[in-house]
């Protein structure tokens, strides 16, 4: 009877493996995208900064570049990938392999709502560790997630904003424990300003909102550059 028992066990494992593989398949959006931009690729006179984020990061990026002109070269890696998706870590590895970055501002959490907040929490350390691995001497700064509003009325928050609050807390708990990572509180910059969103899609600020975010980011980057290592 032992051989039959062993065969049955092997068959059960064989059946279970495809199921496990299916469960661990990345949960992606209908359209995924990546947008990387690196200026001054042949220059080395100024510090090099990388902004890692999503379409919000991409939105304030041009104004940050202008505000940091003469101070630093600012690159971006904007992507729709969730930090729960292993593909994001591969994207970070690729983009950060090109240059030595002196400062990295990073943000992730407005995509990947098919992942739970427990999964977000479990994946967050690897996200930070991947950045550290690629820039071990860089100064790091976490940018808090910004809220979502309803399209009809920016004074009313989209229900997902409660999940964003939880993700912000998860990130801040981890960042605070690290002790050497600064925080750029973009949430606080826009949370009391529905006018930054009114008439838009509820997620992306209007130009006035992007200007406010860019000014905050540039100020925090400038202050971080001024700190001694």
């Amino acid at each position: 009877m032992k051989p039959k028992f062993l065969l049955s066990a092997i068959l059960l494992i064989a059946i279970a493996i495809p199921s496990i593989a299916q469960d661990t398949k990345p949960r992606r959006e209908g359209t995924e995208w990546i947008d990387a931009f690196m200026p001054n690729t042949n220059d080395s006179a100024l510090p090099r900064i990388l902004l890692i984020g999503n379409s919000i990061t991409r939105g304030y990026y041009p104004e940050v570049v202008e505000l940091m002109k003469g101070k630093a070269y600012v690159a971006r890696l904007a992507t729709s990938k969730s930090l729960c998706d292993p593909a994001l870590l591969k994207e970070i590895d690729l983009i950060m392999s090109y240059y030595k970055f002196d400062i990295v501002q990073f943000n992730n959490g407005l995509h990947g709502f098919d992942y739970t907040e427990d999964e977000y929490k479990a994946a967050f350390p690897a996200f930070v560790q991947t950045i550290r691995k690629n820039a071990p001497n860089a100064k790091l700064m976490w940018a808090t997630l910004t809220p979502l509003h309803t399209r009809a009325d920016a004074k009313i928050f989209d229900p997902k904003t409660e999940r964003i609050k939880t993700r912000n807390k998860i990130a801040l708990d981890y960042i605070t424990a690290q002790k050497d990572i600064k925080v750029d509180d973009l949430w606080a910059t826009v949370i009391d300003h529905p006018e930054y969103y009114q008439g838009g899609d509820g997620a992306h600020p209007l130009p006035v909102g992007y200007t406010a975010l860019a000014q905050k980011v540039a100020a925090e980057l400038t202050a971080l550059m001024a700190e001694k290592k």
Side-chain angles (χ1 to χ4, degrees):
M1 296 298 290
K2 286 185 178 180
K4 289 184 179 180
F5 176 79
L6 180 60
L7 179 60
S8 298
I10 292 171
L11 287 172
L12 285 172
I13 292 170
I15 292 168
I17 287 174
S19 177
I20 292 170
Q22 185 176 7
D23 289 344
T24 57
K25 181 180 179 181
R27 280 159 262 161
R28 292 176 176 152
E29 299 174 355
T31 299
E32 293 281 1
W33 55 269
I34 176 174
D35 174 69
F37 191 83
M38 286 180 281
N40 303 98
T41 54
N42 295 312
D43 300 329
S44 58
L46 299 176
R48 199 173 295 276
I49 296 172
L50 177 63
L51 309 183
I52 298 175
N54 47 41
S55 56
I56 307 299
T57 304
R58 182 171 60 183
Y60 61 65
Y61 172 81
E63 290 189 66
V64 172
V65 171
E66 287 300 311
L67 291 167
M68 298 302 292
K69 188 172 288 185
K71 301 177 184 178
Y73 310 129
V74 185
R76 75 169 181 255
L77 168 56
T79 176
S80 61
K81 297 292 190 304
S82 164
L83 62 79
C84 297
D85 187 338
L88 174 65
L89 306 188
K90 294 178 181 179
E91 291 176 0
I92 292 171
D93 282 336
L94 174 65
I95 297 305
M96 293 192 72
S97 71
Y98 292 136
Y99 297 98
K100 172 185 173 291
F101 291 99
D102 300 284
I103 293 177
V104 181
Q105 184 218 58
F106 58 101
N107 167 290
N108 189 284
L110 292 184
H111 289 272
F113 283 110
D114 284 338
Y115 291 100
T116 67
E117 276 54 72
D118 284 341
E119 290 172 304
Y120 181 87
K121 181 177 182 179
F124 199 88
F127 175 47
V128 177
Q129 290 159 14
T130 299
I131 296 170
R132 284 196 188 277
K133 176 191 70 177
N134 284 284
N137 298 315
K139 295 178 180 178
L140 304 184
M141 181 164 63
W142 164 253
T144 56
L145 305 171
T146 50
L148 299 176
H149 307 256
T150 60
R151 187 184 291 267
D153 186 353
K155 293 180 181 178
I156 301 173
F157 292 110
D158 182 281
K160 285 191 178 75
T161 297
E162 288 303 313
R163 296 187 64 187
I164 293 170
K165 286 182 182 178
T166 301
R167 292 184 177 195
N168 267 332
K169 184 179 185 307
I170 289 168
L172 286 171
D173 285 347
Y174 182 84
I175 295 302
T176 301
Q178 296 293 293
K179 300 186 183 302
D180 63 335
I181 302 177
K182 299 294 183 180
V183 175
D184 189 355
D185 196 353
L186 301 187
W187 169 279
T189 301
V190 300
I191 190 62
D192 294 325
H193 293 279
E195 70 275 15
Y196 290 171
Y197 294 86
Q198 190 62 49
D201 65 3
H204 300 88
L206 304 178
V208 64
Y210 276 131
T211 294
L213 289 171
Q215 290 174 345
K216 179 67 163 60
V217 170
E220 293 294 340
L221 291 173
T222 300
L224 194 54
M225 289 173 59
E227 291 185 5
K228 293 181 179 179
K229 286 196 174 184

